[in-house]
Amino acid sequence: MVRKAGRIHGYVDVCPHAGWPLAIMDNYLTRQKDRLLCAGHGALFRIEDGHCTSGPCAGQALEAWPVTVREGVIVTA
C-alpha cells in the first residue's frame, strides 16, 4: 500500500515482468517518491494506477489490491 495525495493505493507485491517482489529492504519508491520501483530491473510504476511507464514491463501493470479506510484504519476491501 502507498499513499499519494491523501489516497491509499494497494498492489500485489509482484513484478508483472519477472514475478519477483518489487522491493529490496522495503524500499518501494523512487528517491523522488513519485513512482513505485522494481528494484530487480528498474521498472517504474505510477502510484495512481500501477501502470508501468518504463522498463522491460512497460505497458503492463501491477495487480491492484483493493483497500479502503474505515474509521481511520486501512483495511483490505
Side-chain angles (χ1 to χ4, degrees), residues 8-33:
I8 303 293
H9 306 274
Y11 299 102
V12 176
D13 186 13
V14 175
C15 174
H17 170 72
W20 55 49
L22 294 177
I24 295 175
M25 307 222 8
D26 293 330
N27 185 20
Y28 288 91
L29 299 174
T30 60
R31 286 189 177 127
Q32 298 80 14
K33 301 196 183 323

Side-chain angles (χ1 to χ4, degrees), residues 3-73:
R3 182 186 311 262
K4 183 173 182 182
R7 295 190 60 208
I8 303 293
H9 306 274
Y11 299 102
V12 176
D13 186 13
V14 175
C15 174
H17 170 72
W20 55 49
L22 294 177
I24 295 175
M25 307 222 8
D26 293 330
N27 185 20
Y28 288 91
L29 299 174
T30 60
R31 286 189 177 127
Q32 298 80 14
K33 301 196 183 323
D34 62 342
R35 301 262 191 234
L36 293 160
L37 169 68
C38 177
H41 54 59
L44 298 174
F45 302 88
R46 290 189 302 235
I47 293 171
E48 303 83 13
D49 59 8
H51 181 82
C52 182
T53 58
S54 69
C57 50
Q60 296 180 1
L62 298 172
E63 182 181 344
W65 185 273
V67 294
T68 190
V69 179
R70 291 190 193 140
E71 298 179 16
V73 176

